Every structure is written in C-alpha cells, then in structure tokens.
Amino acid sequence: MAITLKDVAERAGVSRSAVSRTFTEGASVSAKTRRKVEKAASELGYSPNALASSLTTGRTKLIGLVSNNFHNPFFLQVFDLFTRLLQERGLRPLLVNLTDQTDPEATLRLLRQYSVDGVIVASSTLSPEFALAFQEASVPVVHSFGRIAASPRVNVVGIDNVECGRMAARTLIARGYKRIGFMGGPREATSTIDRRKGFDEVLSVTNGIETTESFATAYSFDAGRAEMLALLNGDPAEAYFCGDDVLSIGALSALADKGLNVPGDIGIIGLNDMDMARWENINLTTIRQPIRQIIDSSVELVVAMLDKPERPPEGRFFACEIVERGTLRPAKT
C-alpha cells in the first residue's frame, strides 16, 4: 500500500499539517519537527505527492517547453539540456509540440489546462506572437533562441543572427570563393531573414562576388537535400552558407549522391555546431551557437520571473564562433 502523509505524521508523532509544511517550499516549520518528519519519511519510504503539494502552494512547478522543431536533431540536444536544467531546479518540463500550429490562443488554452507556472518558447522559427500571447495572459515567458531586439517586449535569449550571416560571408570570402550561395530555411522564418540580411550586407559591398539565394521548405535533412539537388540541376555556386547544420547535412548527402567532392567541388558552412556536425563522416565547418549558455540563461530568467513576475523583460544575446572542420577549402594566405 502507498505510504500516506497520515502514516508519516503518526510515525513522527506530529500533526499532518506539520508534515505538509515540511515538504512545502518556504513554509514555516521548526528544525526539530523537520528532522522528525524527514526521519519518519525516510524509514517509511514516503515521497511527497507533487500534485497534492500544488493544491497547497498554488504552484504546479510545471514549465511549458514549447517548440515546433521536433524534427530537427539539433533540438533534441536543446530539449535534453532544458529538461535536465529545469529538473535540477525542482521544476517539471511539459513538452508542447507546435508543429503546424498557427494559433497562439489555442496553445495558451492548452497550457492553462495544465496550470503551468511559466513558459519557455524554444524556437527561432515560431512566431514571436506566441510569446507575446503568453505574456499578455500574465504567464511568465522566455523566448529562447528568439530574435534580437533593442527593446524586447518579452524576455528573449539567443544570438545575433544578422551577425552570424556576416560571419559566414566573411569566411567564404576569405576562402577565395567568387560564386557564393545562401541556402536558407523557410523564407518567412525570422532566423532565415536575419541570417540572409547579414550575409547580403557583407557580400553587397564586396567586389567580384556573384551571389545566389534559395530557400528550403523546412529546417530538416530532407528539405536541405531536396533543395541542394534542385540547385545542382542548374548552375550551382562554388560554396553555400546553409541556414543551419541539419540543412547542411542534407546538402552534403545530395552532393555525395552526385559524386561531387566537398570541399573540392563545392564548399559548405552551416550554423549551430550540433553534435552530428563533428562526426567524422560529416566533419562540417560551421558557426557554433553557445547552446548551454542560452539554455542556462533561459532557465535562470524563467525562475526569476516565477519569484518576481513584474520584472521588466530583457534580452540576453551571446556571441558565436567559427568552428573549422573539413567542408571549406583553406583560407587564402
């Protein structure tokens, strides 16, 4: 039979309310009573009921982890880190898949059904309107991997995607490429828009460079492969900045199928530095996104908002770096 709070109270010789206070964060209980209750609970193998505790405290400790990138292996790393860091803080993640979802209000109703204490929107492709809808409903929200803004309307943590586009362009120019392509993710995604903007900004003021642009239907392996195969049926560029690593890996698959050498025939640079990028058979040159810093900061912000919901929103953005591997030719000296 399950051990109950009443069993612990009887073993410890205290009231049931004393046991409840012992296992309620922030509740007042004497050190002597706490020791007695914890000893009795240990002897009986009792674990407090989290759902029952939420009725007492008014907090479920549930954090909605909302994304639409479940098909992208990069986000498996993201979800792994998020769930572990939230659990270390005594919080419980509730994963919500918004693939093909376009209505923020429907998502808000879903999260309210579970009485989440806060929400982390973990996506660069999800509309900022989702994060705003949660905030306007007085739900603490952090947009992780979100878009940089001078005066953020919600808490945003991420990178400067425009600068990443500049970094990619400068890197390809330094390798001596003269015909350079941008192969982005979905055209309407803010990450695609910003990375393309920085990329074009540098190349538009560089003499002697021809540029092309194309867009995959999703940030996925299949979409990257399909887009590169289409490009190869025409007049491909000498090198491509792909919108992220998983697009790059799809592109590499297409190039291999056509018998083309990387980087001898065509060069590729990605973005994210997901775990697969360093695999020996991929060995992708890419732009490293500081995933751990972004997630640490996102969790820190959502916890801070639980304690102080009225705190003003802030933006936290982290620098990226080029990771040299084997899909670009060496820089010219």
Side-chain angles (χ1 to χ4, degrees):
M1 294 178 62
I3 304 300
T4 66
L5 183 145
K6 179 182 177 182
D7 298 327
V8 177
E10 290 176 352
R11 172 67 69 94
V14 300
S15 67
R16 279 182 282 182
S17 64
V19 177
S20 178
R21 290 197 305 277
T22 298
F23 293 110
T24 300
E25 185 178 346
S28 176
V29 62
S30 70
K32 181 180 178 181
T33 298
R34 183 179 297 278
R35 286 194 298 271
K36 290 167 67 175
V37 170
E38 289 177 346
K39 182 174 183 294
S42 177
E43 291 171 351
L44 293 171
Y46 171 78
S47 295
N49 186 306
L51 294 177
S53 175
S54 71
L55 297 175
T56 303
T57 63
R59 282 192 175 183
T60 62
K61 296 188 176 181
L62 278 172
I63 302 298
L65 184 54
V66 174
S67 186
N68 60 344
N69 285 304
F70 284 76
H71 59 278
N72 190 328
F74 168 68
F75 273 85
L76 296 180
Q77 295 173 235
V78 169
F79 299 146
D80 175 55
L81 276 173
F82 261 127
T83 52
R84 286 195 279 124
L85 290 176
L86 287 168
Q87 287 164 186
E88 286 172 10
R89 297 279 194 135
L91 301 169
R92 296 188 294 277
L94 175 68
L95 284 175
V96 179
N97 187 341
L98 294 190
T99 301
D100 300 325
Q101 176 61 265
T102 59
D103 182 8
E105 293 301 322
T107 308
L108 179 59
R109 288 193 295 272
L110 171 66
L111 292 166
R112 277 181 159 167
Q113 288 175 6
Y114 289 94
S115 301
V116 297
D117 288 338
V119 175
I120 296 172
V121 178
S123 173
S124 62
T125 58
L126 201 59
S127 165
E129 298 307 314
F130 279 85
L132 284 171
F134 304 145
Q135 177 176 273
E136 289 168 0
S138 300
V139 178
V141 60
V142 176
H143 191 174
S144 187
F145 302 95
R147 194 178 201 179
I148 192 169
S151 300
R153 298 165 67 189
V154 300
N155 289 286
V156 183
V157 184
I159 60 173
D160 184 346
N161 279 299
V162 177
E163 178 58 24
C164 285
R166 297 187 192 111
M167 292 171 68
R170 294 185 193 114
T171 299
L172 294 177
I173 292 167
R175 299 303 191 278
Y177 294 111
K178 298 299 183 183
R179 300 180 63 248
I180 296 175
F182 173 80
M183 194 181 92
R187 186 186 292 268
E188 69 281 2
T190 58
S191 54
T192 300
I193 293 167
D194 290 345
R195 291 166 192 175
R196 174 191 173 196
K197 178 181 178 182
F199 193 70
D200 290 346
E201 188 179 293
V202 171
L203 294 176
S204 65
V205 296
T206 305
N207 294 327
I209 302 291
E210 295 179 31
T211 62
T212 63
E213 61 181 35
S214 61
F215 302 91
T217 56
Y219 281 113
S220 71
F221 172 89
D222 288 338
R225 176 181 162 81
E227 190 60 29
M228 181 54 73
L229 286 172
L231 291 167
L232 294 175
N233 285 332
D235 185 20
E238 295 176 314
Y240 287 90
F241 169 41
C242 295
D244 77 346
D245 287 352
V246 73
L247 284 179
S248 302
I249 294 169
L252 290 172
S253 172
L255 293 167
D257 274 6
K258 294 294 185 179
L260 294 171
N261 176 267
V262 178
D265 295 314
I266 292 179
I268 298 288
I269 182 170
L271 192 153
N272 281 334
D273 195 29
M274 60 190 289
D275 283 345
M276 290 170 64
R278 61 181 173 80
W279 291 2
E280 188 175 346
N281 63 324
I282 295 173
N283 198 30
L284 178 67
T285 298
T286 188
I287 299 171
R288 175 176 291 155
Q289 184 166 193
I291 303 168
R292 180 62 188 247
Q293 288 176 277
I294 292 169
I295 294 173
D296 278 343
S297 191
S298 299
V299 171
E300 179 187 322
L301 275 174
V302 82
V303 169
M305 291 190 71
L306 297 181
D307 295 332
K308 192 177 179 183
E310 69 278 8
R311 70 192 305 278
E314 63 177 286
R316 298 182 181 180
F317 297 95
F318 299 94
C320 296
E321 61 179 319
I322 300 290
V323 179
E324 299 280 1
R325 293 198 181 97
T327 56
L328 292 181
R329 63 195 185 198
K332 287 197 168 185
T333 55

